[in-house]
Amino acid sequence: SKLEAHKMEFNMDENDINEVILEVIDEFSAMAQDNQLTIKYTVNESGNLLEFDPDRIKQVIRNLLSNAIKFSEKNTSIIIETENNNMTFTFRIIDKGIGIPDGELADVFEKFKQSTKTKTGAGGTGLGLAICQEIIEIHKGSIWAGNNPQGGAIFTFNIPVIADSNEYKQAG
């Protein structure tokens, strides 16, 4: 509700995106091990300094990684890929889980909507991806879902490499 009312504060500053990603991976490593999963991420050595709110981007990555762990098959890998083309930073997380029915790919970002495949008791409130979408949109980026041809889901978001900090000032 704070996001919708434009009352959530964003602290846009130059940060190292790899540090943020590695911190979230570290937070979830025990959960991944408990679920017999491996998280694979190769640190991108260039183009790591971006202008973003680290707490909010961590929130997005946490949600995506948590979902990937929750819905992945045991003894598989979750792959995190990043790319920076000097204009846009792209983050992609690929799992080998239950996937998303094609007709529901756009709906997973709607509030209180969950895939029909999540009715297994592993789901949540249906707000996580909607919140992620709002955070990424405030960063002037976009987020979308797709299916992994080898089974599972792919969630991707991108944000501009350099943001105009003045555009992100919201009422406190």
Side-chain angles (χ1 to χ4, degrees):
S1 61
K2 277 186 176 183
L3 275 170
E4 287 176 343
H6 302 289
K7 299 239 185 239
M8 185 170 283
E9 200 169 305
F10 281 75
N11 298 309
M12 307 302 272
D13 203 0
E14 193 172 83
N15 297 283
D16 184 330
I17 191 68
N18 276 326
E19 286 179 14
V20 168
I21 295 168
L22 290 170
E23 186 177 323
V24 174
I25 289 171
D26 189 52
E27 288 175 25
F28 282 88
S29 62
M31 181 190 282
Q33 282 182 327
D34 289 347
N35 287 290
Q36 299 170 7
L37 300 167
T38 304
I39 301 170
K40 295 182 178 180
Y41 174 59
T42 302
V43 174
N44 198 339
E45 295 300 328
S46 62
N48 300 322
L49 291 179
L50 313 174
E51 195 170 318
F52 63 95
D53 181 323
D55 292 332
R56 300 295 168 226
I57 293 299
K58 281 181 198 174
Q59 188 176 352
V60 171
I61 296 170
R62 281 183 188 115
N63 186 276
L64 297 177
L65 185 53
S66 172
N67 285 348
I69 291 170
K70 194 184 316 183
F71 297 113
S72 286
E73 300 289 328
K74 289 185 185 300
N75 300 310
T76 62
S77 295
I78 296 167
I79 299 165
I80 296 174
E81 300 174 341
T82 62
E83 182 182 338
N84 183 341
N85 68 9
N86 295 321
M87 296 291 290
T88 305
F89 171 81
T90 303
F91 174 96
R92 184 174 303 109
I93 187 163
I94 305 162
D95 68 47
K96 297 247 176 88
I98 59 175
I100 304 164
D102 288 337
E104 298 178 11
L105 284 169
D107 295 342
V108 296
F109 295 100
E110 289 184 29
K111 291 180 187 125
F112 308 111
K113 282 270 190 155
Q114 293 182 321
S115 170
T116 55
K117 287 189 173 186
T118 65
K119 304 292 190 236
T120 62
T125 62
L127 287 173
L129 291 174
I131 291 169
C132 288
Q133 183 175 39
E134 291 198 34
I135 289 170
I136 294 300
E137 286 175 354
I138 287 170
H139 278 82
K140 306 293 183 215
S142 57
I143 187 168
W144 63 95
N147 280 308
N148 182 355
Q150 289 83 36
I154 302 173
F155 282 85
T156 307
F157 74 78
N158 60 35
I159 57 174
V161 170
I162 297 176
D164 179 355
S165 297
N166 295 326
E167 290 186 38
Y168 297 93
K169 303 283 188 238
Q170 295 192 23

